[in-house]
Amino acid sequence: AHGLASQTDARVWRSLEAPPPFHSNLVVLSPTTTQADIAGYAAEIESSPRPTGWSLKDSYARFELAALGYFMPFQAEWIWRDPAPAVATPSSARLSWVKLSTPSTLAQWEQAWSGDTRNEAEAARPRQFPVSLLGSPDHAFFAGLLDGQIVAGGIANRSPGVVGLSNVFSPPELLEETWAALVNALSAEFPATPIVGYERGTDLSAAESAGFVALGTLRLWCRPA
């Protein structure tokens, strides 16, 4: 979506340019990828200037990199939900939900997303979600409205065989309602398709309340500039 060059082999996906905030430079694709492999990719990444440092998504939580100068901001759980038909919205629901279709609503959505406590440190960054994504059949942005204002949301991202749910945000008191509503929205938009993602903390608990199960652990490792 950002037009950045990348490479994929049997072991990793690698961005050849600085990725947007919250996206890794290197993503492990295979459980057979070794720490020696990672050292080789790291040497290539570090042969060019990296003023903001770089990060690695350790998709199988196989590596211990602290002694090599990396730090681990978080560890999370991969999650999976079997496909299920969409159901009627409960009468007790406080939020109304819409699928975004215009650049102006996407800008409003991103502003609400940026205000989430996990994202506010990047509030001055360039646009994270290009308008071109609105025309993609494999992406959908959903917004939860309270009194006409966007206060919650999430993104669907379809891959072969599954649809990912990410960038979920919500007021804490509406988190479980948000997860249930997003599952419903994805089930209607991409019927008969399993939903996947990764979460931690209260979001993981809310996902589990919405029917997700944890499959395994992943880690994010960051290398300072």
Side-chain angles (χ1 to χ4, degrees):
H2 286 268
L4 304 178
S6 64
Q7 289 180 341
T8 303
D9 59 29
R11 294 169 292 193
V12 301
W13 173 91
R14 175 187 167 192
S15 175
L16 300 178
E17 302 176 62
F22 312 116
H23 289 265
S24 296
N25 304 66
L26 203 64
V27 179
V28 174
L29 300 181
S30 169
T32 62
T33 302
T34 67
Q35 195 148 314
D37 294 329
I38 296 302
Y41 293 114
E44 293 179 7
I45 292 172
E46 294 178 1
S47 67
S48 59
R50 45 187 187 91
T52 59
W54 64 279
S55 65
L56 157 71
K57 183 185 288 182
D58 180 4
S59 302
Y60 301 89
R62 292 175 54 88
F63 306 122
E64 296 294 343
L65 302 176
L68 301 178
Y70 296 75
F71 66 96
M72 186 173 66
F74 69 81
Q75 180 170 286
E77 294 294 319
W78 293 109
I79 55 175
W80 169 285
R81 191 184 194 281
D82 287 329
V87 299
T89 301
S91 59
S92 60
R94 295 179 57 190
L95 300 176
S96 57
W97 287 85
V98 296
K99 178 185 174 183
L100 304 189
S101 59
T102 66
S104 61
T105 55
L106 179 59
Q108 293 168 21
W109 187 100
E110 184 165 346
Q111 185 176 21
W113 171 87
S114 297
D116 188 280
T117 55
R118 291 160 297 184
N119 306 324
E120 60 187 6
E122 295 292 340
R125 56 173 172 46
R127 285 291 297 272
Q128 179 89 358
F129 305 105
V131 171
S132 61
L133 289 172
L134 292 176
S136 166
D138 295 323
H139 296 83
F141 290 75
F142 296 98
L145 307 178
L146 183 65
D147 298 328
Q149 300 295 314
I150 298 175
V151 298
I155 303 176
N157 174 24
R158 179 169 57 184
S159 299
V162 298
V163 58
L165 174 56
S166 66
N167 294 276
V168 176
F169 66 96
S170 168
E173 67 275 14
L174 297 175
L175 190 57
E176 288 196 6
E177 179 181 327
T178 292
W179 272 91
L182 285 169
V183 165
N184 213 35
L186 267 65
S187 298
E189 187 74 17
F190 303 100
T193 307
I195 304 173
V196 299
Y198 67 85
E199 294 296 343
R200 59 195 172 103
T202 56
D203 280 281
L204 177 59
S205 298
E208 291 173 333
S209 74
F212 286 85
V213 295
L215 298 180
T217 304
L218 68 103
R219 294 171 179 160
L220 180 69
W221 292 99
C222 290
R223 179 89 155 160

